[in-house]
Amino acid sequence: MSELKIPQHVAIILDGNGRWAKKRMLPRNMGHVQGAKTVEQIIEDAHDLGIKYLTVYAFSTENWKRPKDEVDALMKLLKDYLKNCIKRANKNNMRVRVIGDKTGLEPSIQEKIQELEEISSQNTGINFTIAINYGSRDEMIRAMRKLMTDCKNGDILPDEISEDVFAHYLDTSDLPDPDLLIRTSGEVRLSNYLLWQLAYTEFYFTDVFWPDFNKEELVKAIEYYNGRDRRFGAV
Ligand code: IPE
Ligand code: IPE
Ligand code: MG
């Protein structure tokens, strides 16, 4: 096999935790627990492969509509995950960011996020971004509000608003656009993920449920990406 060209930024819609559990007659939450373990492993695999940016969709603005029990369990899992991440980030030289509307999360989770972003801000290894209470439309509306406020204050003129300026107001302002998007579990939709940022991204869909996703599957996605004809000069 010839040398693989590694995408700089891989974005993932991790899906299928519930169906993975159902197939095993387990409660849905067990699927989420296993899914969180898969995230841990995939960060390491992505790092080994030379991926610089990994961005995963953990909880969408629409996911609040799920049954309260499931939302509560997911929030607890996220909190434990963030706590654990605080311990691991420096050890692995990993920089962690969270995108999404943090103000909609419970204060204890907001604190953990702030701590994690701060303690890892100088790390120079993989950039791991977690989308929590994230929705692309919501992100764009929040960006628009900030932009309008700056316009009103005279800090920017309407004619000065370019694509670059707008992108600067998004949660992803210091991340490059993704080169490759992966969605697991056979669903073929974006579910309000990174709509602006995915404008030129290659999409890879697999039937594998997220808890079963592994390095081999990640390599398959990268091989697919290598087979695409990037006609417009992207690296
Ligand atoms: C993805 O798995 C994880 C989250 C959205 C939090 P799902 O919970 O959507 O699993 P399925 O789609 O029901 O199988
Ligand atoms: C998208 O998955 C959101 C996350 C992965 C966090 P969902 O499973 O919630 O998406 P839909 O509702 O099926 O589109
Ligand atoms: Mg799903």
Side-chain angles (χ1 to χ4, degrees):
M1 190 175 65
S2 63
E3 191 76 1
L4 272 185
K5 184 177 68 187
I6 301 298
Q8 176 183 216
H9 184 175
V10 176
I12 301 182
I13 302 175
L14 50 92
D15 200 8
N17 290 352
R19 279 163 284 166
W20 179 91
K22 194 173 176 205
K23 210 172 86 184
R24 287 164 179 73
M25 316 248 265
L26 294 167
R28 284 181 66 84
N29 194 44
M30 287 308 291
H32 296 314
V33 169
Q34 197 56 41
K37 289 185 187 153
T38 303
V39 171
E40 276 312 316
Q41 186 56 48
I42 283 298
I43 300 172
E44 281 184 33
D45 297 337
H47 179 67
D48 289 349
L49 288 164
I51 293 166
K52 291 274 178 295
Y53 294 85
L54 182 71
T55 301
V56 303
Y57 205 2
F59 193 89
S60 74
T61 45
E62 288 70 34
N63 285 152
W64 296 108
K65 293 185 198 130
R66 292 189 179 199
K68 188 178 180 301
D69 282 1
E70 183 172 356
V71 170
D72 288 350
L74 277 168
M75 285 301 140
K76 187 176 178 310
L77 193 63
L78 271 168
K79 196 151 88 180
D80 291 346
Y81 184 83
L82 292 167
K83 272 190 215 160
N84 192 260
C85 222
I86 291 173
K87 286 193 206 129
R88 297 166 59 115
N90 287 348
K91 209 173 89 198
N92 300 333
N93 194 22
M94 166 171 83
R95 175 150 186 200
V96 188
R97 296 174 177 85
V98 171
I99 56 171
D101 184 4
K102 296 168 192 169
T103 64
L105 297 168
E106 60 182 74
S108 62
I109 296 188
Q110 292 187 42
E111 280 165 28
K112 291 279 160 271
I113 291 172
Q114 204 186 345
E115 191 181 343
L116 183 55
E117 289 186 328
E118 269 172 28
I119 61 145
S120 72
S121 66
Q122 303 303 316
N123 292 347
T124 53
I126 191 165
N127 288 275
F128 174 55
T129 303
I130 323 172
I132 309 177
N133 192 22
Y134 177 87
S136 205
R137 290 180 175 180
D138 176 70
E139 177 191 33
M140 287 195 237
I141 296 294
R142 286 185 288 106
M144 192 61 84
R145 287 200 187 114
K146 282 182 263 169
L147 186 52
M148 296 294 258
T149 306
D150 286 355
C151 268
K152 210 167 77 186
N153 294 339
D155 297 331
I156 185 163
L157 297 169
D159 281 350
E160 289 170 342
I161 301 169
S162 61
E163 291 184 11
D164 280 350
V165 166
F166 185 70
H168 180 77
Y169 282 84
L170 295 171
D171 297 347
T172 49
S173 58
D174 56 353
L175 303 175
D177 286 341
D179 304 291
L180 172 64
L181 170 82
I182 299 170
R183 182 166 188 155
T184 57
S185 88
E187 306 303 334
V188 184
R189 57 177 173 273
L190 289 178
S191 301
N192 205 6
Y193 194 42
L194 302 173
L195 302 182
W196 170 278
Q197 298 86 343
L198 296 173
Y200 279 96
T201 304
E202 299 290 348
F203 289 6
Y204 177 81
F205 298 99
T206 169
D207 288 339
V208 171
F209 293 142
W210 176 251
D212 289 330
F213 196 82
N214 56 23
K215 189 172 187 178
E216 203 186 321
E217 298 296 333
L218 180 59
V219 169
K220 272 191 216 164
I222 296 173
E223 280 169 355
Y224 169 85
Y225 167 79
N226 274 249
R228 304 310 300 159
D229 179 18
R230 306 227 350 136
R231 282 175 298 149
F232 299 109
V235 281

